[in-house]
């Protein structure tokens, strides 16, 4: 994954809102069966005993005890028992959205993984269930905390085993990716909100709200951040003058210096000097 994709994914995760709607442990009964359901919530199933089958996106899974499934909302789901020994599982239903978009429709993730620390995950689910039934004022905050631990643990397992997460090729991420790619390719030019909005056929006012929902900051703030990142790279890797660098990122010298100092606490010249002092030590 390149640095732009990584930064984009971090922005999505930073702006994700999660809410648990149900959390229990149960042993499924003889009527546990559904065909082509279209759930409006995400599901986590942590299998502890028994057997059964789950079909998602035309693939059939036969989860075993010690496996964790993440079943995204909005995807056709079928499931049922096998024999008399149905699943015993910890489970929860939850939402995870970036703006109006389901996070798990934006990321390409496996739907079933083996759990390494089974006892640790079992405790997390026990905590989640206990908090879900806890009427205290702060329980909702602690519920979010435990859910985030479970979901982030799932992603970390995927990162370790599959060497990276990927953005899914879907319409919503496609729109924002078009905009972000355009910004990367045109940093040297004057970029307006109206220009970016036209790329995805949005009204400028709606586009600004959409962009901030997806990335957590306004289009202009994002463009300036990208410009400052490029400026840092040029200050540390080239001998170009500060004036030349300002021109390369499409800003007037005075405005560039002001924005750079606001974001880094240093003027461009001070940053270059500090980097030059750190460079040799970092190589030793």
């Amino acid at each position: 994954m390149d640095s732009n994709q990584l930064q984009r994914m971090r922005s999505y995760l930073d702006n994700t809102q999660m809410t648990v709607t149900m959390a229990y442990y149960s042993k499924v009964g003889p009527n546990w069966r559904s065909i082509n359901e279209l759930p409006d919530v995400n599901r986590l199933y942590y299998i502890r005993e028994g057997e059964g089958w789950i079909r998602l996106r035309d693939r059939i899974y036969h989860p075993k005890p010690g496996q964790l499934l993440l079943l995204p909302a909005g995807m056709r789901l079928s499931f049922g028992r096998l024999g008399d020994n149905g699943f015993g599982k910890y489970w929860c239903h939850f939402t995870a959205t970036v703006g109006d978009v389901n996070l798990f429709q934006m990321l390409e993730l496996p739907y079933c993984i083996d759990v390494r620390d089974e006892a640790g995950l079992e405790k997390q689910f026990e905590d989640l269930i206990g908090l879900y039934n806890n009427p205290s004022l702060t329980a909702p905050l602690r519920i979010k905390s435990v859910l985030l631990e479970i979901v982030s643990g799932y992603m970390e397992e995927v990162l370790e085993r599959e060497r990276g997460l990927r953005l899914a090729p879907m319409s919503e991420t496609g729109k924002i990716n078009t905009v972000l790619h355009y910004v990367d390719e045109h940093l040297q030019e004057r970029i307006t909100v109206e220009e970016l909005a036209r790329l995805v056929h949005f009204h400028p006012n709606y586009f600004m709200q959409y962009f901030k929902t997806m990335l957590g900051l306004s289009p202009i703030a994002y463009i300036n951040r990208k410009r400052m990142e490029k400026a840092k790279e040029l200050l540390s890797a080239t001998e170009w003058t500060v004036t030349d660098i300002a021109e390369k990122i499409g800003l007037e010298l005075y405005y560039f210096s002001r924005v750079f100092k606001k974001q880094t606490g240093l003027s461009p010249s001070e940053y270059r000097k500090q980097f030059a002092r750190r460079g040799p030590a970092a190589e030793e």
Side-chain angles (χ1 to χ4, degrees):
M1 184 190 306
D2 63 34
S3 60
N4 287 330
Q5 283 191 324
L6 178 61
Q7 185 180 79
R8 202 170 305 155
M9 196 174 294
R10 285 177 61 93
S11 294
Y12 294 155
L13 294 177
D14 189 42
N15 289 286
T16 297
Q17 301 295 320
M18 290 192 183
T19 302
V20 172
T21 58
M22 286 187 178
Y24 293 99
Y25 181 91
S26 59
K27 178 82 170 175
V28 304
N31 296 323
W32 190 73
R33 179 180 175 86
S34 182
I35 302 296
N36 285 332
E37 180 180 333
L38 192 62
D40 58 0
V41 292
N42 308 295
R43 303 183 185 195
L44 284 168
Y45 288 172
Y46 181 30
I47 309 300
R48 302 309 290 140
E49 59 177 310
E51 55 184 352
W53 61 272
I54 293 171
R55 186 175 70 205
L56 189 68
R57 279 194 166 176
D58 297 322
R59 178 175 175 182
I60 296 180
Y61 299 86
H62 294 91
K64 299 176 181 178
Q67 291 187 318
L68 176 65
L69 292 94
L70 192 157
L71 310 174
M75 294 186 184
R76 292 288 175 187
L77 176 66
S78 301
F79 53 80
R81 295 198 343 162
L82 285 175
D84 296 328
N85 186 23
F87 285 139
K89 58 185 174 65
Y90 290 98
W91 58 275
C92 77
H93 293 179
F94 69 103
T95 61
T97 54
V98 184
D100 296 327
V101 184
N102 182 10
L103 174 68
F104 302 113
Q105 291 179 350
M106 300 170 68
L107 304 178
E108 287 189 343
L109 288 165
Y111 302 127
C112 182
I113 64 169
D114 295 319
V115 175
R116 298 189 185 186
D117 183 4
E118 294 188 31
L121 183 58
E122 183 166 323
K123 183 179 185 308
Q124 287 177 322
F125 269 100
E126 290 283 359
D127 290 344
L128 185 67
I129 293 166
L131 289 165
Y132 179 72
N133 293 292
N134 187 329
S136 74
L137 177 66
T138 60
L141 294 176
R142 296 173 63 198
I143 288 170
K144 290 180 189 292
S145 175
V146 177
L147 177 62
L148 287 168
E149 285 290 332
I150 294 172
V151 172
S152 61
Y154 192 103
M155 291 184 177
E156 285 161 6
E157 288 278 358
V158 175
L159 282 168
E160 184 173 340
R161 298 177 190 203
E162 304 201 7
R163 299 182 182 180
L165 302 176
R166 292 180 296 276
L167 293 172
M170 60 169 289
S171 59
E172 290 298 332
T173 52
K175 288 174 185 176
I176 198 68
N177 290 346
T178 297
V179 172
L180 300 185
H181 180 72
Y182 184 89
V183 169
D184 289 338
E185 296 297 315
H186 295 82
L187 282 179
Q188 190 171 351
E189 304 168 17
R190 181 175 178 270
I191 304 173
T192 66
V193 170
E194 290 75 15
E195 185 179 356
L196 298 179
R198 280 196 297 272
L199 290 173
V200 289
H201 310 291
F202 285 165
H203 187 280
N205 290 342
Y206 176 77
F207 173 75
M208 287 191 289
Q209 178 184 355
Y210 164 81
F211 191 98
K212 190 165 186 177
T213 296
M214 297 294 283
L215 274 298
L217 66 173
S218 71
I220 298 304
Y222 176 84
I223 292 167
N224 280 338
R225 188 176 74 179
K226 295 294 292 185
R227 282 174 167 155
M228 296 309 107
E229 289 172 0
K230 184 66 175 178
K232 290 178 186 177
E233 178 185 328
L234 296 176
L235 286 165
S236 59
T238 75
E239 295 183 358
W240 291 351
T241 67
V242 173
T243 301
D244 289 339
I245 291 172
E247 187 175 320
K248 279 287 183 184
I249 61 172
L251 294 177
E252 297 289 337
L253 177 60
Y254 170 75
Y255 185 67
F256 164 53
S257 298
R258 184 160 65 88
V259 174
F260 191 92
K261 186 162 188 176
K262 183 177 180 180
Q263 290 199 9
T264 67
L266 299 169
S267 71
S269 298
E270 290 169 338
Y271 180 88
R272 172 173 271 168
K273 289 177 183 176
Q274 188 174 91
F275 183 89
R277 287 197 300 270
R278 287 203 308 257
E283 296 173 0
E284 291 176 357

